[in-house]
Amino acid sequence: MVANGELDFAIVTSDKSNADLIQEDLMQDQIYLCVKDSLLREYYGDEAEDIKMRSLQGASVSDFARLPFCIFANNMGQRIHVCFEEANVTPKIRLNTTYTQVCTTVGFQGLVAFFASQVNLTNRQSEIPPDMNIFPLLCHGEPMYLHLSLLRHKQRYLTHYSKYFLELLSAFCSAAEQAPVSRITNGTKG
């Protein structure tokens, strides 16, 4: 749509390029594995504390293989499936969705473990239950990120309003990258 002139710009996670478009890096949006403490304890009992401590600096899906998951049916979900394949784990998928809101809602209720990006968690920070464990997701031993880019047409003039919006977007992305979201709970019930 940007290439056809239907949109002024778009925010994408794709690395595909087009000669007519300018692609500007916005941020590396880190992916987190989120699981409510009660769900982790239900499936792992006394092992839960060891898993939490081991995962605070980076979580491997192999440590969470017993849990039910909500997985995205989109680009992020495809990348997460690679993590499961790498760990030789078949996830117990209870819900597939393309909507972040669905995963976080059922995850916040403790029905499933789920994956969320830094931006999503930052935006919903006030809704995150106090007993939610949030671990940086590792894949191939490295933290997983979604690369967010801004696409705009080389021949398209940007209005002052569009430029101002892009300045605000850049400031938002910079602040979101800096917001700490990793945490473990202290075993409180919730």
Side-chain angles (χ1 to χ4, degrees), residues 17-28:
S17 61
N18 180 319
D20 294 331
L21 302 178
I22 297 171
Q23 185 169 335
E24 299 174 25
D25 294 336
L26 286 176
M27 71 178 288
Q28 296 285 0

Side-chain angles (χ1 to χ4, degrees), residues 34-39 68-70 95 100-115 124 127-129 131-133:
C34 306
V35 59
K36 207 163 182 190
D37 209 55
S38 55
L39 185 67
F69 282 94
C70 178
L95 184 61
T100 304
Q101 188 86 12
V102 172
C103 267
T104 52
T105 299
V106 296
F108 287 173
Q109 292 175 10
L111 302 174
V112 293
F114 66 100
F115 301 91
R124 296 192 66 186
E127 301 169 52
I128 299 172
D131 64 334
M132 182 64 63
N133 295 293

Side-chain angles (χ1 to χ4, degrees), residues 123-188:
N123 287 340
R124 296 192 66 186
Q125 193 167 3
S126 64
E127 301 169 52
I128 299 172
D131 64 334
M132 182 64 63
N133 295 293
I134 303 172
F135 308 113
L137 179 62
L138 297 180
C139 195
H140 304 294
E142 297 292 326
M144 179 181 270
Y145 295 89
L146 288 177
H147 179 81
L148 296 181
S149 300
L150 177 83
L151 289 182
R152 61 186 180 89
H153 201 285
K154 287 180 180 179
Q155 303 300 319
R156 185 85 178 211
Y157 172 78
L158 292 179
T159 65
H160 290 293
Y161 299 110
S162 294
K163 289 178 184 176
Y164 179 62
F165 175 78
L166 295 178
E167 288 174 20
L168 292 175
L169 180 62
S170 179
F172 169 80
C173 288
S174 179
E177 271 186 315
Q178 303 305 316
V181 295
S182 296
R183 70 177 193 197
I184 58 171
T185 66
N186 60 6
T188 57

Side-chain angles (χ1 to χ4, degrees), residues 25-84:
D25 294 336
L26 286 176
M27 71 178 288
Q28 296 285 0
D29 194 9
Q30 190 163 8
I31 306 302
Y32 293 85
L33 189 157
C34 306
V35 59
K36 207 163 182 190
D37 209 55
S38 55
L39 185 67
L40 188 62
R41 291 180 185 288
E42 177 184 337
Y43 281 83
Y44 285 94
D46 293 338
E47 293 176 67
E49 285 304 313
D50 289 338
I51 292 169
K52 287 167 38 173
M53 296 311 292
R54 191 168 51 242
S55 301
L56 189 56
Q57 298 304 314
S60 169
V61 293
S62 62
D63 283 334
F64 299 87
R66 296 182 205 162
L67 297 176
F69 282 94
C70 178
I71 305 248
F72 292 112
N74 59 18
N75 182 18
M76 184 169 139
Q78 292 170 358
R79 297 195 54 212
I80 290 167
H81 275 291
V82 170
C83 295
F84 282 105

Side-chain angles (χ1 to χ4, degrees), residues 7-23:
L7 294 175
D8 291 333
F9 43 82
I11 299 170
V12 298
T13 60
S14 173
D15 292 328
K16 297 177 183 175
S17 61
N18 180 319
D20 294 331
L21 302 178
I22 297 171
Q23 185 169 335

